[in-house]
Amino acid sequence: MFVNEIARITEMSKDGIRHYEELGLISSSPRQAGSRTYRDYDPSVLKRIEQIRQAQQLGLSLKEIGPLLDMHGSREISNEETVAFLEERRSVIGKKIAELRAIETFIDQKIERYRQSTKPGLPT
């Protein structure tokens, strides 16, 4: 499959697909067509792109996704492994939410102090 087919099926841009390849998340083979060389993608790339998108929905960065997919390869992941992984992700996300709430509280306090300040423009 050529990049335009992959792009159409996955509803991604060709640049996005090439970026995934640059990061080593997917691969292709060179294919000669006349005087030009094209990248030929195996249909299994479609499943891999879907896995990448699902991992992104879990809050993983592309740099985190590569090693995760490589570690599990093409083997099926058990329900127990999936649950353990999702629980860990939930914990990480919960910590990030707590950190963001603390920042939000700090900002709210600063806003309130500035609103109540008798000398506008001076930090409190």
Side-chain angles (χ1 to χ4, degrees):
M1 300 177 82
F2 293 128
V3 70
N4 60 341
E5 293 175 87
I6 300 293
R8 182 181 49 77
I9 292 169
T10 61
E11 298 179 351
M12 287 183 67
S13 70
K14 292 184 225 177
D15 288 339
I17 293 165
R18 290 182 186 115
H19 182 63
Y20 281 7
E21 188 167 8
E22 287 170 8
L23 295 174
L25 297 172
I26 61 173
S27 62
S28 66
S29 307
R31 182 172 169 191
Q32 193 71 33
S35 63
R36 296 192 63 180
T37 301
Y38 295 92
R39 305 303 302 172
D40 188 23
Y41 295 87
D42 186 271
S44 64
V45 164
L46 297 173
K47 181 177 179 183
R48 182 82 165 194
I49 289 173
E50 180 61 28
Q51 291 171 331
I52 293 166
R53 287 179 158 176
Q54 288 176 0
Q56 285 180 303
Q57 287 180 321
L58 293 172
L60 295 169
S61 71
L62 292 177
K63 287 183 179 183
E64 294 170 312
I65 292 170
L68 180 67
L69 292 177
D70 291 342
M71 181 174 54
H72 292 292
S74 60
R75 77 174 181 85
E76 287 293 318
I77 299 169
S78 72
N79 287 347
E80 293 81 15
E81 290 174 305
T82 301
V83 168
F85 175 77
L86 291 173
E87 287 176 339
E88 175 61 28
R89 284 306 301 161
R90 184 177 54 198
S91 174
V92 168
I93 297 300
K95 289 175 185 173
K96 287 181 181 180
I97 290 170
E99 291 169 3
L100 290 171
R101 284 194 176 131
I103 293 169
E104 181 183 42
T105 299
F106 174 76
I107 291 171
D108 288 343
Q109 291 169 350
K110 294 302 273 183
I111 289 170
E112 190 57 34
R113 285 185 188 150
Y114 277 99
R115 284 186 178 150
Q116 294 179 2
S117 176
T118 56
K119 297 180 181 177
L122 294 178
T124 56

